[in-house]
Amino acid sequence: MSTIFDAIVSGEIPCHKIWEDDDHLAFLDINPRVEGHTLVIPKKPWFEVFAMDEQPFLNLWAAAQKVARHLKEKTGCERVVVVVLGYEVQHVHIHLMPTNSLGDFPFPPVDQDALAIIEETAKKLRT
């Protein structure tokens, strides 16, 4: 199934491109959470980040690192926050957001129900 990112990669839909190589594209998010909010995507569509083959996965993170360093240099931010959700568009993408404090990124509050069962969760998840 084709996504908006496929149309961006093909040039059918314009974007505010800030970086590109043969296999990846970085462009500003059209719904920015902070100034400079950038998406890094593989040009080849993958449905879910942890389902990617190893080399494309490693290459995507190397591309994200290049773009994050570029964002930090150009914006003067203290840190670039990274988020991978994958629900908004069914094409792997990494959100990079320049920040200067934790307040620049709305982090979810502690889930008290999850906290209450943390020992059981640890037992269930141990290998």
Side-chain angles (χ1 to χ4, degrees):
M1 182 169 87
S2 185
T3 70
I4 189 170
F5 291 168
D6 296 313
I8 289 171
V9 168
S10 72
E12 181 182 336
I13 295 177
C15 70
H16 296 283
K17 178 172 54 174
I18 64 165
W19 180 86
E20 182 176 22
D21 70 10
D22 290 342
D23 300 313
H24 307 92
L25 180 64
F27 52 93
L28 295 179
D29 193 310
I30 61 169
N31 294 304
R33 302 313 196 256
V34 298
E35 182 181 357
H37 181 173
T38 300
L39 301 178
V40 181
I41 67 168
K43 290 181 179 177
K44 175 186 175 190
W46 291 89
F47 179 73
E48 197 264 325
V49 70
F50 294 115
M52 293 178 76
D53 293 339
E54 183 177 6
Q55 199 57 56
F57 176 85
L58 295 173
N59 293 344
L60 175 62
W61 285 101
Q65 183 182 45
K66 287 178 188 177
V67 175
R69 288 177 174 170
H70 175 77
L71 287 172
K72 189 170 181 181
E73 176 188 328
K74 294 295 185 180
T75 66
C77 70
E78 185 175 322
R79 294 185 184 173
V80 175
V81 173
V82 60
V83 177
V84 178
L85 298 169
Y87 291 106
E88 323 92 279
V89 178
Q90 302 299 310
H91 183 129
V92 168
H93 55 289
I94 298 173
H95 294 260
L96 298 177
M97 292 173 267
T99 62
N100 290 304
S101 73
L102 185 57
D104 291 341
F105 180 75
F107 203 68
V110 173
D111 180 332
Q112 294 300 321
D113 293 333
L115 181 59
I117 61 167
I118 198 165
E119 288 187 34
E120 294 99 52
T121 302
K123 288 177 188 173
K124 179 172 72 174
L125 297 178
R126 284 188 186 106
T127 56

